Amino acid sequence: MFKNVIARRPGTSITEGITSAPELGKPDHQLALRQHQAYCQALESCGVQVTVLPPLEEYPDSCFVEDTAVLTTRCAVITNPGAPSRRGEVDHMVDVIRSFYPADRVEFIRDPGTLEGGDVMMVGDTFYVGLSARTNREGIEQFARILGRNGFKVRAVPLSQVLHLKTGVNYLEGGNLLVSGEFVDHPEFASFNRIVVPPEEAYGANCIWVNGTVIVPQGYPTVEAQVRDLGYRVILVDTSEFRKIDGGLSCLSLRF
């Protein structure tokens, strides 16, 4: 069960965020703010305390706080993002994280290792980590050593077609796993109850489980129906403006 969530409001610079889909257009800042507020309200309705940080105008992608840290029940790991323009974001997160964790429980990924939280999926005491354009092997090895000292296991998952691991695969607890694209038949996930997301709704694979509720992006009816059929309470949240800069539901918060 999660008790806390950290989020950060998008700044006006969100219009300059990194994107692989410029054809979607630039985000509308005011609409992004409204969507972000609805997102935080959805999280609060799941029984967590949400800490909302102020915008960082100098970092257009800084609303995607998930990439800056991995927060576990035993330790916090401050990441080292693979996107150079995002490196400075972590400096603004350290004191925030230390307000929740003892100083000796806060660890760091160091150069030449890179790690972004969007590549990290927690399944009980095992953390699956995407080997991606943003997370390299050295970063995964450092992460594995840190988590190993804390009694966790790490499994690397090479990927080639999506930005982050959780772009295409997300754990809903209870053995249920949303999978899309290159992860549909991935042997690493053969033991899970895999719910296959159709290609035309691939963005909808990025759902988040929060204390028995699953928050689902609005506009993906097949995904919504599949999650409801599993028996979860569902909340729909519109993330259209964040999709324009390669972000989804999980990217917008740290849940712990």
Side-chain angles (χ1 to χ4, degrees):
M1 299 290 283
F2 296 126
K3 295 180 179 179
N4 293 290
V5 167
I6 298 170
R8 186 184 294 281
R9 284 195 304 274
T12 58
S13 61
I14 190 176
T15 56
E16 305 308 315
I18 301 169
T19 183
S20 62
E23 68 276 6
L24 296 177
K26 289 183 178 293
D28 179 309
H29 177 242
Q30 289 301 314
L31 181 53
L33 281 175
R34 292 195 294 272
Q35 291 180 352
H36 192 266
Q37 183 178 15
Y39 174 79
C40 292
Q41 290 172 342
L43 288 164
E44 288 174 341
S45 77
C46 298
V48 295
Q49 179 70 42
V50 180
T51 299
V52 182
L53 305 175
L56 292 176
E57 291 293 350
E58 63 270 42
Y59 298 105
D61 296 284
S62 57
C63 57
F64 300 132
V65 292
E66 181 181 57
D67 290 322
T68 63
V70 178
L71 306 183
T72 80
T73 55
R74 300 165 201 163
C75 66
V77 181
I78 306 297
T79 67
N80 192 27
S85 65
R86 302 196 62 191
R87 291 284 177 92
E89 293 177 33
V90 299
D91 297 333
H92 294 270
M93 291 299 298
V94 175
D95 287 345
V96 178
I97 301 302
R98 283 179 171 155
S99 70
F100 291 96
Y101 288 82
D104 63 351
R105 288 293 177 181
V106 179
E107 309 249 18
F108 295 81
I109 302 297
R110 307 288 190 184
D111 284 333
T114 63
L115 182 82
E116 293 192 1
D119 276 317
V120 180
M121 181 177 72
M122 179 183 70
V123 180
D125 285 346
T126 299
F127 287 73
Y128 293 86
V129 185
L131 179 61
S132 70
R134 300 285 187 86
T135 296
N136 64 20
R137 194 168 297 280
E138 169 64 23
I140 294 175
E141 289 174 357
Q142 289 183 34
F143 187 63
R145 289 195 293 271
I146 292 167
L147 290 201
R149 294 195 297 269
N150 288 277
F152 296 114
K153 294 175 287 186
V154 169
R155 299 186 68 89
V157 182
L159 54 91
S160 60
Q161 298 174 20
V162 293
L163 176 64
H164 286 135
L165 179 69
K166 284 187 292 196
T167 304
V169 57
N170 289 271
Y171 187 54
L172 301 183
E173 302 297 325
N176 297 315
L177 195 70
L178 286 170
V179 293
S180 66
E182 64 187 293
F183 303 110
V184 169
D185 295 312
H186 199 293
E188 191 68 60
F189 305 120
S191 63
F192 292 90
N193 175 36
R194 289 168 291 177
I195 298 91
V196 177
V197 173
E200 66 274 14
E201 292 192 18
Y203 178 82
N206 186 240
C207 299
I208 52 174
W209 177 96
V210 185
N211 300 344
T213 293
V214 177
I215 302 178
V216 176
Q218 184 175 305
Y220 303 89
T222 303
V223 176
E224 178 189 352
Q226 290 172 318
V227 175
R228 289 189 188 279
D229 286 347
L230 292 169
Y232 297 107
R233 172 184 179 237
V234 169
I235 300 176
L236 298 178
V237 173
D238 189 355
T239 54
S240 64
E241 301 313 292
F242 302 100
R243 183 185 181 188
K244 293 175 181 177
I245 52 171
D246 299 341
L249 285 168
S250 72
C251 313
L252 288 165
S253 63
L254 288 162
R255 303 162 301 279
F256 59 107

